[in-house]
Amino acid sequence: MKKKTGQKSREGRITLKADGALRVPNRPIIPYVQGDGTGVDIWPAGQRVMDAAVEKAYGGRRSIEWLRVYAGQEAMDRFGTPLPDETLKAFRFYRVGIKGPLTTPVGGGIRSVNVALRQVLDLYACVRPVYYIPGVPSPVRNPERVNMVIFRENTEDVYAGIEWKKGSADAKKLLRFLNEDMLAGTGKRIRADSGIGVKPVSVRGTQRIVRMAIQHALRERCPSVTLVHKGNIMKYTEGAFQEWGYGLARKEFGGKVVFEDDQAKAATKSKASRLLVKDRIADAMFQQVLLRPEEYSVICTLNLNGDYLSDACAAMVGGLGMAPGGNLGDGLAVFEATHGSAPRYAGQDKVNPSSVILSGVSMLEYMGWHEAGKVIQEALTRTIERRTVTYDLERQMKAEGRKGVKLLRCSEFADAICKNMR
Ligand code: NAD
């Protein structure tokens, strides 16, 4: 790491204003992890595109000073740990960062570097914008109807990592307690040959993600927020998420939101122009996003639902290779490519850098640098519409029978995007 965090670099530091909004200097220092495997290909491509867009949008008035930090296999090789303290300190200190894909090293002592990063920095929201870039091959007929942002709770639910293996002493102890004490007289019994997992869902965890989703919707003038849950079955966890979510919307955003039942009755224009807060049962929601995607704008949901739903929605607009993502906490964010490190393609200058590039767009928007984000989106669209694409898109375009498709390497694709900037 070239620069020591916390010393000479204060002037490039993103800070918080009293109201919690970001104060972004014109030359912010942004820590980045290149990423393992194909990170070596997609990161340089992505960085080049981001720098070119900032230059194009602000003509030298603004620029990013990149600070390299390490995580994953590369950090393991260099420092003997997959998530060095220096990396965590840099993300905390500079507040906004970005990362390529990470290989979870075998024997690294933690289950996943990504999960650890989210937990240690308390990045409690996984935010996945899902929108269609014209020209991208898609399995649905009208992918342009999809324009959503999914807020997935990142710290609770069955992902809390609290589970016991079938037959272990702890599992037996817990089963005894549950069967003989808690379930006595209920007619319910857990089979002795069961593994056990715990699904915690808290008021605090629910409220903060719902708050973030509603704040985003109000700021970006989105028409609705949908709470997605399986509360008909899991009443005290998923059902509670819905109840606490509505409660928070009513209490903290009362004058600015309207609820589905109220909306039907709403006679006045002012009421109808407020943000609509509604909810859907998770299984029905999977149908809804396919059949009536235009009715959904901001989606807020628990960890497991969000994991499934965000990949399913990403598939509708071109798959994970095109999907941006970010992990957000309070005044802290790490954006990331949503796919993995695809080791078998590493170093071949072959894979699609769009996921990390579009995560860069989300990062620029988070920083308030909307003009630069727009430059990238438009240039990427032009590049794909011209059918100059990486192998994954080329294959799909050809399968769809499109003519005149030109295969580019990862770096050439980045060159083409830079050339297509206006
Ligand atoms: P992967 O996403 O790395 O690769 C699966 C397949 O997706 C690849 O074979 C390739 O066909 C395709 N693909 C991936 N990235 C692509 C790109 N940029 N352009 C075009 N096609 C692309 O998933 P995996 O093989 O299951 O995981 C490999 C490693 O990545 C594992 O160590 C896993 O833990 C890690 N991982 C990391 C993240 C993350 O950092 N966010 C996410 C998922 C997996």
Side-chain angles (χ1 to χ4, degrees):
M1 280 163 249
K2 282 178 272 170
K3 203 177 279 281
K4 277 261 177 276
T5 54
Q7 295 177 357
K8 57 195 177 180
S9 3
R10 284 195 180 271
E11 66 199 57
R13 187 184 178 199
I14 293 174
T15 52
L16 288 187
K17 297 180 193 164
D19 64 357
L22 296 185
R23 184 184 291 111
V24 181
N26 281 336
R27 307 206 187 281
I29 294 168
I30 306 284
Y32 74 96
V33 176
Q34 172 175 284
D36 299 317
T38 51
V40 70
D41 306 297
I42 62 171
W43 176 259
Q47 185 180 332
R48 199 144 44 83
V49 168
M50 286 182 250
D51 284 340
V54 171
E55 171 64 30
K56 182 65 87 185
Y58 308 114
R61 192 167 56 81
R62 285 175 167 167
S63 61
I64 292 174
E65 193 180 328
W66 299 102
L67 171 67
R68 184 157 187 193
V69 294
Y70 297 89
Q73 188 61 52
E74 202 182 9
M76 194 71 187
D77 298 342
R78 280 172 182 257
F79 307 109
T81 163
L83 195 51
D85 277 350
E86 275 292 292
T87 299
L88 292 168
K89 272 190 211 157
F91 282 136
R92 231 184 243 123
F93 185 79
Y94 293 109
R95 293 193 175 277
V96 177
I98 185 164
K99 56 175 272 295
L102 299 181
T103 299
T104 293
V106 179
I110 45 179
R111 287 209 290 192
S112 154
V113 190
N114 291 308
V115 172
L117 191 65
R118 291 168 196 164
Q119 281 172 352
V120 178
L121 297 176
D122 199 21
L123 303 171
Y124 58 84
C126 178
V127 182
R128 294 270 294 266
V130 190
Y131 51 85
Y132 182 63
I133 296 195
V136 173
S138 157
V140 299
R141 223 176 298 157
N142 298 106
E144 68 287 346
R145 287 161 64 199
V146 181
N147 186 10
M148 307 171 196
V149 184
I150 300 174
F151 285 76
R152 163 189 167 197
E153 206 288 325
N154 237 350
T155 63
E156 304 196 321
D157 198 356
V158 283
Y159 282 60
I162 306 171
E163 50 180 13
W164 292 274
K165 194 174 173 185
K166 180 214 86 168
S168 65
D170 285 341
K172 284 183 186 157
K173 192 169 155 189
L174 188 60
L175 276 175
R176 235 184 349 262
F177 169 66
L178 290 171
N179 283 333
E180 290 167 20
D181 197 341
M182 301 300 289
L183 296 176
T186 64
K188 294 178 188 163
R189 193 165 181 81
I190 304 172
R191 293 187 189 102
D193 59 349
S194 300
I196 307 272
V198 174
K199 178 185 174 77
V201 176
S202 71
V203 175
R204 177 167 179 256
T206 300
Q207 288 184 337
R208 62 184 185 171
I209 185 96
V210 175
R211 183 181 296 116
M212 191 188 274
I214 294 180
Q215 282 170 341
H216 170 90
L218 290 170
R219 195 171 52 245
E220 301 298 325
R221 298 178 192 280
C222 302
S224 68
V225 172
T226 306
L227 306 174
V228 176
H229 60 89
K230 192 73 187 157
N232 53 335
I233 305 295
M234 293 167 272
K235 298 189 190 308
Y236 302 131
T237 50
E238 304 248 343
F241 178 87
Q242 175 218 28
E243 185 191 325
W244 297 328
Y246 274 131
L248 176 113
R250 211 166 274 125
K251 184 159 174 250
E252 295 188 11
F253 300 94
K256 297 176 185 157
V257 297
V258 63
F259 303 95
E260 210 156 30
D261 292 347
D262 302 349
Q263 202 203 26
K265 293 179 223 145
T268 64
K269 200 165 177 279
S270 71
K271 225 177 181 183
S273 66
R274 290 185 213 163
L275 173 69
L276 173 63
V277 179
K278 53 187 175 179
D279 77 281
R280 293 289 179 271
I281 301 289
D283 45 337
M285 189 64 190
F286 277 84
Q287 273 205 38
Q288 292 281 306
V289 293
L290 275 167
L291 300 176
R292 302 141 88 97
E294 61 283 339
E295 290 181 15
Y296 299 93
S297 169
V298 173
I299 291 170
C300 182
T301 190
L302 302 100
N303 210 335
L304 181 62
N305 298 333
D307 197 2
Y308 296 159
L309 196 57
S310 48
D311 277 20
C313 289
M316 291 167 66
V317 295
L320 286 187
M322 299 296 302
N327 294 292
L328 274 58
D330 290 324
L332 207 64
V334 179
F335 295 84
E336 64 175 356
T338 49
H339 53 72
S341 55
R344 88 193 149 97
Y345 293 105
Q348 295 180 27
D349 195 16
K350 177 170 178 165
V351 296
N352 186 348
S354 295
S355 178
V356 81
I357 290 173
L358 291 170
S359 301
V361 170
S362 295
M363 183 186 81
L364 292 165
E365 286 173 348
Y366 182 76
M367 289 159 57
W369 291 16
H370 297 276
E371 301 81 1
K374 196 157 172 256
V375 167
I376 297 179
Q377 272 174 332
E378 289 177 354
L380 181 62
T381 301
R382 263 176 228 123
T383 310
I384 292 173
E385 279 179 334
R386 286 174 188 169
R387 301 171 193 194
T388 46
V389 290
T390 45
Y391 86 100
D392 51 326
L393 297 181
E394 184 222 28
R395 196 169 48 193
Q396 292 174 65
M397 285 180 176
K398 282 192 169 161
E400 284 181 0
R402 295 196 218 175
K403 301 278 180 252
V405 183
K406 186 171 176 211
L407 173 65
L408 298 184
R409 312 189 74 79
C410 175
S411 58
E412 291 169 339
F413 186 64
D415 291 339
I417 297 171
C418 293
K419 243 184 248 148
N420 286 328
M421 284 180 185
R422 297 202 183 124

